[in-house]
Amino acid sequence: MPELPEVETIVREMREASLIGLKITSASVFWERSIAQQPSTSFCETIADQTILDIGRRGKFIIFSLTQNKLLVHLRMTGKFLIDKKKALQDPHERLRLYLSDGRVLHYMDQRKFGKWYLSDSEKLLQKIGLEPLSSDFSLYAFQNLLKGVHRRIKPFLLDQRFIAGIGNIYADEALWAAKIHPARSTHSLNKQEISALYKAIISVLKTGIENTGTTLGSSKANYYSVSGRRGSNRDKLKVFRCDGLPCPRCKTTIQKIVLAQRGTHFCPYCQARP
DNA sequence: GATAATGTTGGTCG
DNA sequence: ACGACCAACATTAT
């Protein structure tokens, strides 16, 4: 579920909630497989008594910098955080809980159980992911070089975290629409002007997503909600994602939905014609 | 009531 | 190297 703008919103809210500086007094794990690479017993032993020195983000990973380790959390489809909310206490999807030194509790919910917490080998994981699209590392030049280095369809390329970190299904479709590029185009077929348009579109859709505190699609519990339980308002700004059957905001052609790389893919068959 | 689809990622197998 | 397919899961929509 959460892509870069949603994860960024979560991180900002946790910082605003003054979690930095608190000590993790203990942890409780309710779903063993939410912990990667080690049994929950050793996870709880290792994390206990460590202080949260910083909270950040890399791609779709949340990074808790602790006294001894880096704790990474990947929310995958339905991972969520809530701070000391009464409704979290009776949530059947709560998978993990951190008790904090000021008496508050950080609850982690994950309906579909795909999310993972990494406490060991986290540096190795971070090394594997690609450029941070809102940092200066992501230059037009670097983007051009990435595209040159692979022969793939552009949408699966955008979703592959080893190249650029943080783009998911929503923002990939939105960026391709903004740049007027068909999602099945080959990376090698894009001309200079198209590459430049896509580069700007990626940055723009992600920034807009953050400004609107992320995208909450529907109303069910499975949808994205921030740490404070707020919905993101970016859904109203989406041009194509889950807009199949509606007119394209640019040319009024009906938006189409196809399956590409096993993912629902939305585009305008006129603006984003296959050359 | 069965089946498909869901915002993610990692594996296998051509 | 790349893509098709499956797997991990639970819930909602069709």
Side-chain angles (χ1 to χ4, degrees), chain A residues 46-59:
Chain A
T46 309
I47 205 169
D49 289 328
Q50 294 207 45
T51 297
I52 301 172
L53 302 177
D54 197 11
I55 305 173
R57 177 191 64 74
R58 179 81 170 83

Side-chain angles (χ1 to χ4, degrees), chain A residues 92-140:
Chain A
H93 305 302
E94 187 180 10
R95 309 299 177 200
L96 212 146
R97 188 182 286 183
L98 297 182
Y99 293 93
L100 304 173
S101 52
D102 69 347
R104 286 186 290 172
V105 181
L106 185 59
H107 304 272
Y108 169 72
M109 269 72 64
D110 187 4
Q111 188 180 89
R112 292 177 70 180
K113 302 174 175 172
F114 293 164
K116 286 267 182 297
W117 290 46
Y118 307 82
L119 190 53
S120 58
D121 277 338
S122 41
E123 295 288 354
K124 215 191 285 177
L125 254 173
L126 289 177
Q127 281 169 11
K128 283 195 215 165
I129 65 179
L131 294 176
E132 195 58 42
L134 298 184
S135 79
S136 54
D137 293 347
F138 185 61
S139 62
L140 179 57

Side-chain angles (χ1 to χ4, degrees), chain A residues 15-139:
Chain A
R15 296 174 69 97
E16 280 160 24
S18 306
L19 297 192
I20 294 172
L22 299 181
K23 197 170 81 176
I24 298 165
T25 51
S26 65
S28 296
V29 177
F30 310 118
W31 182 253
E32 185 70 23
R33 277 177 285 175
S34 291
I35 310 291
Q37 298 158 335
Q38 62 182 330
S40 63
T41 46
S42 69
F43 172 88
C44 292
E45 278 171 29
T46 309
I47 205 169
D49 289 328
Q50 294 207 45
T51 297
I52 301 172
L53 302 177
D54 197 11
I55 305 173
R57 177 191 64 74
R58 179 81 170 83
K60 299 175 192 171
F61 284 96
I62 298 169
I63 306 174
F64 293 91
S65 301
L66 307 179
T67 320
Q68 305 291 339
N69 307 82
K70 269 191 179 158
L71 167 66
L72 304 188
V73 179
H74 197 300
L75 303 170
R76 294 283 193 107
M77 297 284 275
T78 53
K80 284 174 188 56
F81 279 102
L82 278 185
I83 300 167
D84 214 26
K85 283 270 164 60
K86 267 192 191 141
K87 65 177 175 185
L89 295 173
Q90 53 218 25
D91 193 322
H93 305 302
E94 187 180 10
R95 309 299 177 200
L96 212 146
R97 188 182 286 183
L98 297 182
Y99 293 93
L100 304 173
S101 52
D102 69 347
R104 286 186 290 172
V105 181
L106 185 59
H107 304 272
Y108 169 72
M109 269 72 64
D110 187 4
Q111 188 180 89
R112 292 177 70 180
K113 302 174 175 172
F114 293 164
K116 286 267 182 297
W117 290 46
Y118 307 82
L119 190 53
S120 58
D121 277 338
S122 41
E123 295 288 354
K124 215 191 285 177
L125 254 173
L126 289 177
Q127 281 169 11
K128 283 195 215 165
I129 65 179
L131 294 176
E132 195 58 42
L134 298 184
S135 79
S136 54
D137 293 347
F138 185 61
S139 62

Side-chain angles (χ1 to χ4, degrees), chain A residues 243-264:
Chain A
C243 293
D244 37 314
L246 298 175
C248 167
R250 230 171 3 217
C251 75
K252 310 304 175 203
T253 304
T254 304
I255 301 294
Q256 254 184 38
K257 181 180 178 187
I258 58 172
V259 175
L260 197 62
Q262 289 80 244
R263 313 297 303 277

Side-chain angles (χ1 to χ4, degrees), chain A residues 69-257:
Chain A
N69 307 82
K70 269 191 179 158
L71 167 66
L72 304 188
V73 179
H74 197 300
L75 303 170
R76 294 283 193 107
M77 297 284 275
T78 53
K80 284 174 188 56
F81 279 102
L82 278 185
I83 300 167
D84 214 26
K85 283 270 164 60
K86 267 192 191 141
K87 65 177 175 185
L89 295 173
Q90 53 218 25
D91 193 322
H93 305 302
E94 187 180 10
R95 309 299 177 200
L96 212 146
R97 188 182 286 183
L98 297 182
Y99 293 93
L100 304 173
S101 52
D102 69 347
R104 286 186 290 172
V105 181
L106 185 59
H107 304 272
Y108 169 72
M109 269 72 64
D110 187 4
Q111 188 180 89
R112 292 177 70 180
K113 302 174 175 172
F114 293 164
K116 286 267 182 297
W117 290 46
Y118 307 82
L119 190 53
S120 58
D121 277 338
S122 41
E123 295 288 354
K124 215 191 285 177
L125 254 173
L126 289 177
Q127 281 169 11
K128 283 195 215 165
I129 65 179
L131 294 176
E132 195 58 42
L134 298 184
S135 79
S136 54
D137 293 347
F138 185 61
S139 62
L140 179 57
Y141 178 71
F143 184 49
Q144 279 168 341
N145 280 335
L146 285 180
L147 288 167
K148 232 188 290 176
V150 274
H151 209 116
R152 276 181 93 174
R153 296 179 299 185
I154 186 65
K155 174 155 175 185
F157 167 84
L158 292 178
L159 293 178
D160 192 325
Q161 304 295 302
R162 291 170 301 180
F163 301 113
I164 304 165
I167 303 173
N169 211 24
I170 299 176
Y171 298 98
D173 281 4
E174 291 299 313
L176 288 168
W177 178 85
K180 302 186 182 178
I181 295 170
H182 190 288
R185 293 271 305 279
S186 143
T187 49
H188 274 53
S189 77
L190 303 183
N191 64 35
K192 270 220 149 109
Q193 181 267 320
E194 289 172 323
I195 293 173
S196 166
L198 182 55
Y199 170 77
K200 288 176 192 156
I202 290 168
I203 294 170
S204 163
V205 297
L206 293 175
K207 277 191 175 166
T208 305
I210 293 173
E211 281 163 20
N212 294 298
T213 64
T215 304
T216 301
L217 287 168
S219 53
S220 86
K221 270 198 68 158
N223 290 280
Y224 161 75
Y225 289 90
S226 72
V227 183
S228 57
R230 281 203 308 253
R231 299 166 59 83
S233 62
N234 197 58
R235 175 173 156 64
D236 308 331
K237 307 289 187 298
L238 300 181
K239 312 294 188 195
V240 283
F241 192 84
R242 298 229 184 135
C243 293
D244 37 314
L246 298 175
C248 167
R250 230 171 3 217
C251 75
K252 310 304 175 203
T253 304
T254 304
I255 301 294
Q256 254 184 38
K257 181 180 178 187

